[in-house]
Amino acid sequence: MSIKENLIDTYKTIEESAKKASRNKEDITLIAVSKTKPIEMLEEAYEAGIREFGENKVQELTDKYEKLPKDIHWHMIGHLQTNKVKYIVDKAYLIHSVDSIKLAKEISKEAVKKNVVSNVLIEVNMAEEESKFGVSKDDTLPLIEEIAKLPGIKVRGLMTVAPYVEDAEENRLIFCKIRQLFIDIKEKNIDNVSMDFMSMGMSGDYSVAVEEGATHVRVGTKIFGEREYNI
């Protein structure tokens, strides 16, 4: 199947899942995760209507940013090192992977320098997997309260990377838990925190994520096919 056909299929699944949860499909943003993919494939997705692309590595995001149309929203979804922040703070529409006050302060500093406001999500390690980045559930609110005081940075919501599972249903509880945390934090009405984005769900489980309230799903393999690594 072509990328265009894969996208049609993906949107159909999003629509069906949204319907199940009595949600509007328009409230869900599909991010095409284009890490390791060549420019030609991104151009094909762009031609098919995609304007949201997700990258894991700063270098790849900046390279593609320079080569592709400027109406694209770039999402930094991978772990971000403080020394790389300066390269993307004015290029990433949304940074999904903030998990420390140290990183937030660096984003704030560079955003102020470049006179932009950087929109960020707090990455929560909801599944408590040792191999994953992200703050613990209990540390999420204190971190947000600290970040909220910084200039040039705005917390827009939460992000989580659920475990890789064969059966998407196995991740429903993870998505339920982060949705509850999202609601609890939103109700606190913290200044400079808008809590309107919840980024969760990937190729294997995005349908369940949509049912549980995801506003952004990060889909790569389902759109572009299996990733190819240079060996």
Side-chain angles (χ1 to χ4, degrees):
M1 278 169 77
S2 68
I3 287 172
K4 185 176 183 178
E5 287 168 322
N6 289 343
L7 279 167
I8 291 166
D9 202 37
T10 306
Y11 278 123
K12 194 175 161 205
T13 301
I14 288 171
E15 186 175 359
E16 286 165 359
S17 300
K19 211 172 184 177
K20 269 191 203 172
S22 303
R23 299 181 66 200
N24 296 321
K25 67 177 191 292
E26 291 77 21
D27 294 338
I28 296 121
T29 299
L30 172 61
I31 300 168
V33 177
S34 45
K35 58 184 180 182
T36 78
K37 295 299 176 190
I39 290 288
E40 298 75 41
M41 290 183 95
L42 277 75
E43 285 171 338
E44 204 179 320
Y46 183 90
E47 288 302 317
I50 284 284
R51 295 295 179 272
E52 317 280 333
F53 288 92
E55 289 291 335
N56 260 41
K57 292 190 165 65
V58 169
Q59 180 73 54
E60 214 175 330
L61 189 152
T62 55
D63 286 353
K64 289 172 178 175
Y65 176 92
E66 297 304 335
K67 293 171 184 164
L68 288 158
K70 292 295 173 273
D71 62 339
I72 287 173
H73 284 163
W74 292 98
H75 297 257
M76 180 62 197
I77 60 176
H79 180 63
L80 180 57
Q81 294 166 306
T82 50
N83 64 339
K84 301 277 179 73
V85 167
K86 58 179 177 279
Y87 302 115
I88 63 151
V89 87
D90 55 346
K91 295 178 178 70
Y93 167 75
L94 187 62
I95 298 172
H96 290 233
S97 47
V98 174
D99 60 359
S100 71
I101 191 65
K102 184 185 170 201
L103 177 58
K105 282 179 176 172
E106 190 63 26
I107 292 169
S108 167
K109 186 183 90 179
E110 292 297 335
V112 168
K113 218 187 267 184
K114 290 187 162 76
N115 199 25
V116 296
V117 173
S118 192
N119 290 304
V120 305
L121 303 181
I122 305 306
E123 181 173 359
V124 187
N125 187 351
M126 198 51 92
E128 298 174 358
E129 288 186 284
E130 280 183 25
S131 61
K132 296 261 172 74
F133 291 104
V135 289
S136 69
K137 174 177 173 279
D138 293 342
D139 290 340
T140 304
L141 178 58
L143 178 61
I144 287 175
E145 287 171 334
E146 281 299 299
I147 295 174
K149 299 169 193 167
L150 300 171
I153 184 170
K154 187 173 178 67
V155 176
R156 301 294 301 271
L158 305 179
M159 178 270 233
T160 198
V161 179
Y164 175 77
V165 290
E166 292 293 335
D167 178 7
E169 282 300 326
E170 289 177 39
N171 281 336
R172 191 178 291 275
L173 187 58
I174 302 280
F175 299 146
C176 280
K177 282 180 179 173
I178 198 161
R179 183 186 65 204
Q180 194 52 57
L181 179 64
F182 178 87
I183 291 165
D184 292 346
I185 294 169
K186 192 179 177 108
E187 284 174 351
K188 295 195 181 298
N189 289 318
I190 303 162
D191 284 348
N192 197 32
V193 174
S194 62
M195 296 304 287
D196 39 19
F197 296 159
M198 195 161 38
S199 167
M200 61 189 196
M202 299 194 285
S203 287
D205 56 16
Y206 71 98
S207 57
V208 173
V210 168
E211 287 173 29
E212 294 303 332
T215 62
H216 291 65
V217 292
R218 311 179 303 270
V219 180
T221 309
K222 178 99 169 54
I223 296 170
F224 296 110
E226 292 297 330
R227 286 204 299 276
E228 289 169 30
Y229 294 101
N230 295 327
I231 298 166

